[in-house]
Amino acid sequence: RKAHRIAWELAYGPIPPGMSVCHSCDNRPCVNLAHLFIATPAENNHDRHAKGRSAVGERQGPSKLTDGEVVDIMASLPYETDMALSRRFSVSRVTIWKIRNKYNWTHIQQEAA
């Protein structure tokens, strides 16, 4: 069990089922009750995304591409085919298609707009 959850329970009682104890300070080990709040997993995810702490793009562990490579892929349209790009960057053709059609790496596409 994590310290912040124990701190919450000692101060306020049981954590409601399906709820998370979140940190307004974004410091995971923090147990300051003034920094803790209860939220649904969806609210916690929204809070993380709003604060720019989501693991996106190359910050995601298994990512094979860098942000710069994705910019290159988007700039190559219509000059190179999805298949040619998939070979050049050692990813699947579907990965290239998803980038070009704004299904993946949308944070790069928003910056470029």
Side-chain angles (χ1 to χ4, degrees), residues 78-99:
Y79 308 110
E80 280 187 84
T81 66
D82 291 356
M83 187 57 75
L85 289 167
S86 72
R87 286 188 196 112
R88 180 155 59 110
F89 291 103
S90 300
V91 295
S92 73
R93 184 191 56 76
V94 172
T95 297
I96 301 297
W97 183 90
K98 286 182 176 182
I99 291 168

PDB file of all heavy atoms in Angstrom, residues 78-99:
ATOM      1  N   PRO A  78       3.189  14.367 -50.045  1.00  0.00           N
ATOM      2  CA  PRO A  78       2.855  13.103 -50.727  1.00  0.00           C
ATOM      3  C   PRO A  78       4.060  12.472 -51.422  1.00  0.00           C
ATOM      4  O   PRO A  78       3.900  11.658 -52.311  1.00  0.00           O
ATOM      5  CB  PRO A  78       1.834  13.557 -51.763  1.00  0.00           C
ATOM      6  CG  PRO A  78       2.346  14.905 -52.182  1.00  0.00           C
ATOM      7  CD  PRO A  78       2.954  15.506 -50.922  1.00  0.00           C
ATOM      8  N   TYR A  79       5.255  12.831 -51.027  1.00  0.00           N
ATOM      9  CA  TYR A  79       6.453  12.429 -51.760  1.00  0.00           C
ATOM     10  C   TYR A  79       6.862  10.974 -51.576  1.00  0.00           C
ATOM     11  O   TYR A  79       7.462  10.396 -52.463  1.00  0.00           O
ATOM     12  CB  TYR A  79       7.627  13.341 -51.394  1.00  0.00           C
ATOM     13  CG  TYR A  79       7.264  14.797 -51.539  1.00  0.00           C
ATOM     14  CD1 TYR A  79       7.111  15.605 -50.429  1.00  0.00           C
ATOM     15  CD2 TYR A  79       7.033  15.349 -52.795  1.00  0.00           C
ATOM     16  CE1 TYR A  79       6.757  16.938 -50.558  1.00  0.00           C
ATOM     17  CE2 TYR A  79       6.674  16.677 -52.943  1.00  0.00           C
ATOM     18  CZ  TYR A  79       6.536  17.470 -51.814  1.00  0.00           C
ATOM     19  OH  TYR A  79       6.168  18.769 -51.952  1.00  0.00           O
ATOM     20  N   GLU A  80       6.583  10.397 -50.393  1.00  0.00           N
ATOM     21  CA  GLU A  80       6.967   9.006 -50.149  1.00  0.00           C
ATOM     22  C   GLU A  80       5.742   8.204 -49.766  1.00  0.00           C
ATOM     23  O   GLU A  80       4.849   8.698 -49.090  1.00  0.00           O
ATOM     24  CB  GLU A  80       7.988   8.920 -48.995  1.00  0.00           C
ATOM     25  CG  GLU A  80       9.407   9.243 -49.397  1.00  0.00           C
ATOM     26  CD  GLU A  80      10.370   8.972 -48.249  1.00  0.00           C
ATOM     27  OE1 GLU A  80      10.792   7.808 -48.091  1.00  0.00           O
ATOM     28  OE2 GLU A  80      10.689   9.928 -47.537  1.00  0.00           O
ATOM     29  N   THR A  81       5.735   6.953 -50.161  1.00  0.00           N
ATOM     30  CA  THR A  81       4.615   6.075 -49.818  1.00  0.00           C
ATOM     31  C   THR A  81       4.730   5.620 -48.364  1.00  0.00           C
ATOM     32  O   THR A  81       5.810   5.679 -47.759  1.00  0.00           O
ATOM     33  CB  THR A  81       4.590   4.826 -50.716  1.00  0.00           C
ATOM     34  OG1 THR A  81       5.766   4.047 -50.431  1.00  0.00           O
ATOM     35  CG2 THR A  81       4.516   5.197 -52.189  1.00  0.00           C
ATOM     36  N   ASP A  82       3.613   5.152 -47.825  1.00  0.00           N
ATOM     37  CA  ASP A  82       3.619   4.594 -46.470  1.00  0.00           C
ATOM     38  C   ASP A  82       4.601   3.435 -46.373  1.00  0.00           C
ATOM     39  O   ASP A  82       5.330   3.305 -45.389  1.00  0.00           O
ATOM     40  CB  ASP A  82       2.220   4.123 -46.074  1.00  0.00           C
ATOM     41  CG  ASP A  82       1.229   5.259 -45.871  1.00  0.00           C
ATOM     42  OD1 ASP A  82       1.632   6.433 -45.957  1.00  0.00           O
ATOM     43  OD2 ASP A  82       0.052   4.963 -45.617  1.00  0.00           O
ATOM     44  N   MET A  83       4.632   2.598 -47.406  1.00  0.00           N
ATOM     45  CA  MET A  83       5.521   1.433 -47.386  1.00  0.00           C
ATOM     46  C   MET A  83       6.990   1.853 -47.371  1.00  0.00           C
ATOM     47  O   MET A  83       7.796   1.302 -46.621  1.00  0.00           O
ATOM     48  CB  MET A  83       5.242   0.527 -48.595  1.00  0.00           C
ATOM     49  CG  MET A  83       6.003  -0.779 -48.537  1.00  0.00           C
ATOM     50  SD  MET A  83       5.687  -1.750 -47.040  1.00  0.00           S
ATOM     51  CE  MET A  83       4.070  -2.383 -47.379  1.00  0.00           C
ATOM     52  N   ALA A  84       7.342   2.855 -48.172  1.00  0.00           N
ATOM     53  CA  ALA A  84       8.738   3.318 -48.203  1.00  0.00           C
ATOM     54  C   ALA A  84       9.138   3.891 -46.849  1.00  0.00           C
ATOM     55  O   ALA A  84      10.238   3.630 -46.348  1.00  0.00           O
ATOM     56  CB  ALA A  84       8.920   4.361 -49.303  1.00  0.00           C
ATOM     57  N   LEU A  85       8.248   4.653 -46.248  1.00  0.00           N
ATOM     58  CA  LEU A  85       8.536   5.231 -44.927  1.00  0.00           C
ATOM     59  C   LEU A  85       8.619   4.146 -43.860  1.00  0.00           C
ATOM     60  O   LEU A  85       9.454   4.218 -42.953  1.00  0.00           O
ATOM     61  CB  LEU A  85       7.474   6.261 -44.551  1.00  0.00           C
ATOM     62  CG  LEU A  85       7.528   7.559 -45.342  1.00  0.00           C
ATOM     63  CD1 LEU A  85       6.264   8.373 -45.113  1.00  0.00           C
ATOM     64  CD2 LEU A  85       8.764   8.364 -44.959  1.00  0.00           C
ATOM     65  N   SER A  86       7.762   3.139 -43.953  1.00  0.00           N
ATOM     66  CA  SER A  86       7.807   2.061 -42.953  1.00  0.00           C
ATOM     67  C   SER A  86       9.143   1.338 -42.997  1.00  0.00           C
ATOM     68  O   SER A  86       9.696   0.974 -41.970  1.00  0.00           O
ATOM     69  CB  SER A  86       6.642   1.090 -43.134  1.00  0.00           C
ATOM     70  OG  SER A  86       6.812   0.298 -44.276  1.00  0.00           O
ATOM     71  N   ARG A  87       9.692   1.170 -44.201  1.00  0.00           N
ATOM     72  CA  ARG A  87      11.016   0.538 -44.329  1.00  0.00           C
ATOM     73  C   ARG A  87      12.110   1.458 -43.774  1.00  0.00           C
ATOM     74  O   ARG A  87      13.009   1.017 -43.066  1.00  0.00           O
ATOM     75  CB  ARG A  87      11.308   0.210 -45.792  1.00  0.00           C
ATOM     76  CG  ARG A  87      10.531  -0.966 -46.303  1.00  0.00           C
ATOM     77  CD  ARG A  87      11.006  -1.386 -47.697  1.00  0.00           C
ATOM     78  NE  ARG A  87      10.023  -2.251 -48.294  1.00  0.00           N
ATOM     79  CZ  ARG A  87       9.267  -1.934 -49.338  1.00  0.00           C
ATOM     80  NH1 ARG A  87       9.396  -0.770 -49.933  1.00  0.00           N
ATOM     81  NH2 ARG A  87       8.394  -2.790 -49.817  1.00  0.00           N
ATOM     82  N   ARG A  88      12.014   2.735 -44.118  1.00  0.00           N
ATOM     83  CA  ARG A  88      13.056   3.686 -43.699  1.00  0.00           C
ATOM     84  C   ARG A  88      13.110   3.830 -42.174  1.00  0.00           C
ATOM     85  O   ARG A  88      14.191   3.922 -41.587  1.00  0.00           O
ATOM     86  CB  ARG A  88      12.800   5.055 -44.336  1.00  0.00           C
ATOM     87  CG  ARG A  88      13.849   6.075 -43.945  1.00  0.00           C
ATOM     88  CD  ARG A  88      14.020   7.210 -44.937  1.00  0.00           C
ATOM     89  NE  ARG A  88      12.882   8.012 -45.222  1.00  0.00           N
ATOM     90  CZ  ARG A  88      12.744   9.288 -44.844  1.00  0.00           C
ATOM     91  NH1 ARG A  88      13.674   9.882 -44.141  1.00  0.00           N
ATOM     92  NH2 ARG A  88      11.670   9.965 -45.181  1.00  0.00           N
ATOM     93  N   PHE A  89      11.950   3.825 -41.518  1.00  0.00           N
ATOM     94  CA  PHE A  89      11.916   4.044 -40.068  1.00  0.00           C
ATOM     95  C   PHE A  89      11.734   2.749 -39.269  1.00  0.00           C
ATOM     96  O   PHE A  89      11.604   2.778 -38.051  1.00  0.00           O
ATOM     97  CB  PHE A  89      10.805   5.037 -39.716  1.00  0.00           C
ATOM     98  CG  PHE A  89      11.099   6.430 -40.206  1.00  0.00           C
ATOM     99  CD1 PHE A  89      10.479   6.933 -41.336  1.00  0.00           C
ATOM    100  CD2 PHE A  89      12.006   7.236 -39.549  1.00  0.00           C
ATOM    101  CE1 PHE A  89      10.750   8.211 -41.797  1.00  0.00           C
ATOM    102  CE2 PHE A  89      12.284   8.517 -39.986  1.00  0.00           C
ATOM    103  CZ  PHE A  89      11.659   9.007 -41.122  1.00  0.00           C
ATOM    104  N   SER A  90      11.700   1.617 -39.939  1.00  0.00           N
ATOM    105  CA  SER A  90      11.565   0.295 -39.299  1.00  0.00           C
ATOM    106  C   SER A  90      10.325   0.196 -38.415  1.00  0.00           C
ATOM    107  O   SER A  90      10.381  -0.279 -37.268  1.00  0.00           O
ATOM    108  CB  SER A  90      12.813  -0.048 -38.482  1.00  0.00           C
ATOM    109  OG  SER A  90      13.948  -0.069 -39.314  1.00  0.00           O
ATOM    110  N   VAL A  91       9.216   0.667 -38.946  1.00  0.00           N
ATOM    111  CA  VAL A  91       7.918   0.530 -38.274  1.00  0.00           C
ATOM    112  C   VAL A  91       6.933  -0.011 -39.304  1.00  0.00           C
ATOM    113  O   VAL A  91       7.225  -0.046 -40.502  1.00  0.00           O
ATOM    114  CB  VAL A  91       7.412   1.865 -37.685  1.00  0.00           C
ATOM    115  CG1 VAL A  91       8.330   2.356 -36.571  1.00  0.00           C
ATOM    116  CG2 VAL A  91       7.240   2.928 -38.752  1.00  0.00           C
ATOM    117  N   SER A  92       5.756  -0.400 -38.854  1.00  0.00           N
ATOM    118  CA  SER A  92       4.778  -0.956 -39.783  1.00  0.00           C
ATOM    119  C   SER A  92       4.171   0.124 -40.675  1.00  0.00           C
ATOM    120  O   SER A  92       4.169   1.318 -40.337  1.00  0.00           O
ATOM    121  CB  SER A  92       3.663  -1.665 -39.016  1.00  0.00           C
ATOM    122  OG  SER A  92       2.824  -0.717 -38.393  1.00  0.00           O
ATOM    123  N   ARG A  93       3.641  -0.311 -41.798  1.00  0.00           N
ATOM    124  CA  ARG A  93       2.949   0.598 -42.706  1.00  0.00           C
ATOM    125  C   ARG A  93       1.741   1.215 -42.011  1.00  0.00           C
ATOM    126  O   ARG A  93       1.416   2.380 -42.209  1.00  0.00           O
ATOM    127  CB  ARG A  93       2.524  -0.154 -43.970  1.00  0.00           C
ATOM    128  CG  ARG A  93       1.882   0.730 -45.027  1.00  0.00           C
ATOM    129  CD  ARG A  93       1.243  -0.073 -46.131  1.00  0.00           C
ATOM    130  NE  ARG A  93       0.254  -1.035 -45.667  1.00  0.00           N
ATOM    131  CZ  ARG A  93      -0.988  -0.712 -45.276  1.00  0.00           C
ATOM    132  NH1 ARG A  93      -1.392   0.525 -45.302  1.00  0.00           N
ATOM    133  NH2 ARG A  93      -1.815  -1.656 -44.873  1.00  0.00           N
ATOM    134  N   VAL A  94       1.082   0.428 -41.149  1.00  0.00           N
ATOM    135  CA  VAL A  94      -0.074   0.929 -40.409  1.00  0.00           C
ATOM    136  C   VAL A  94       0.337   2.068 -39.473  1.00  0.00           C
ATOM    137  O   VAL A  94      -0.395   3.048 -39.331  1.00  0.00           O
ATOM    138  CB  VAL A  94      -0.756  -0.224 -39.626  1.00  0.00           C
ATOM    139  CG1 VAL A  94      -1.834   0.292 -38.711  1.00  0.00           C
ATOM    140  CG2 VAL A  94      -1.317  -1.259 -40.590  1.00  0.00           C
ATOM    141  N   THR A  95       1.502   1.967 -38.856  1.00  0.00           N
ATOM    142  CA  THR A  95       1.997   3.041 -37.993  1.00  0.00           C
ATOM    143  C   THR A  95       2.137   4.335 -38.787  1.00  0.00           C
ATOM    144  O   THR A  95       1.713   5.393 -38.337  1.00  0.00           O
ATOM    145  CB  THR A  95       3.343   2.647 -37.349  1.00  0.00           C
ATOM    146  OG1 THR A  95       3.137   1.512 -36.516  1.00  0.00           O
ATOM    147  CG2 THR A  95       3.926   3.792 -36.537  1.00  0.00           C
ATOM    148  N   ILE A  96       2.712   4.238 -39.970  1.00  0.00           N
ATOM    149  CA  ILE A  96       2.869   5.415 -40.827  1.00  0.00           C
ATOM    150  C   ILE A  96       1.500   5.971 -41.202  1.00  0.00           C
ATOM    151  O   ILE A  96       1.259   7.179 -41.126  1.00  0.00           O
ATOM    152  CB  ILE A  96       3.676   5.075 -42.100  1.00  0.00           C
ATOM    153  CG1 ILE A  96       5.070   4.551 -41.744  1.00  0.00           C
ATOM    154  CG2 ILE A  96       3.733   6.279 -43.043  1.00  0.00           C
ATOM    155  CD1 ILE A  96       5.963   5.534 -41.026  1.00  0.00           C
ATOM    156  N   TRP A  97       0.577   5.100 -41.584  1.00  0.00           N
ATOM    157  CA  TRP A  97      -0.765   5.516 -41.961  1.00  0.00           C
ATOM    158  C   TRP A  97      -1.450   6.245 -40.809  1.00  0.00           C
ATOM    159  O   TRP A  97      -2.077   7.286 -41.011  1.00  0.00           O
ATOM    160  CB  TRP A  97      -1.582   4.300 -42.410  1.00  0.00           C
ATOM    161  CG  TRP A  97      -2.953   4.663 -42.893  1.00  0.00           C
ATOM    162  CD1 TRP A  97      -3.309   4.976 -44.172  1.00  0.00           C
ATOM    163  CD2 TRP A  97      -4.131   4.764 -42.098  1.00  0.00           C
ATOM    164  NE1 TRP A  97      -4.648   5.277 -44.220  1.00  0.00           N
ATOM    165  CE2 TRP A  97      -5.178   5.155 -42.963  1.00  0.00           C
ATOM    166  CE3 TRP A  97      -4.418   4.575 -40.758  1.00  0.00           C
ATOM    167  CZ2 TRP A  97      -6.484   5.350 -42.527  1.00  0.00           C
ATOM    168  CZ3 TRP A  97      -5.716   4.779 -40.309  1.00  0.00           C
ATOM    169  CH2 TRP A  97      -6.730   5.156 -41.191  1.00  0.00           C
ATOM    170  N   LYS A  98      -1.317   5.694 -39.600  1.00  0.00           N
ATOM    171  CA  LYS A  98      -1.964   6.315 -38.432  1.00  0.00           C
ATOM    172  C   LYS A  98      -1.374   7.689 -38.135  1.00  0.00           C
ATOM    173  O   LYS A  98      -2.096   8.600 -37.732  1.00  0.00           O
ATOM    174  CB  LYS A  98      -1.860   5.404 -37.212  1.00  0.00           C
ATOM    175  CG  LYS A  98      -2.793   4.221 -37.283  1.00  0.00           C
ATOM    176  CD  LYS A  98      -2.694   3.370 -36.029  1.00  0.00           C
ATOM    177  CE  LYS A  98      -3.694   2.242 -36.055  1.00  0.00           C
ATOM    178  NZ  LYS A  98      -3.645   1.435 -34.822  1.00  0.00           N
ATOM    179  N   ILE A  99      -0.095   7.857 -38.315  1.00  0.00           N
ATOM    180  CA  ILE A  99       0.524   9.176 -38.122  1.00  0.00           C
ATOM    181  C   ILE A  99      -0.014  10.156 -39.146  1.00  0.00           C
ATOM    182  O   ILE A  99      -0.454  11.253 -38.809  1.00  0.00           O
ATOM    183  CB  ILE A  99       2.064   9.080 -38.202  1.00  0.00           C
ATOM    184  CG1 ILE A  99       2.625   8.316 -37.003  1.00  0.00           C
ATOM    185  CG2 ILE A  99       2.681  10.478 -38.306  1.00  0.00           C
ATOM    186  CD1 ILE A  99       4.078   7.931 -37.131  1.00  0.00           C
TER     187      ILE A  99
END
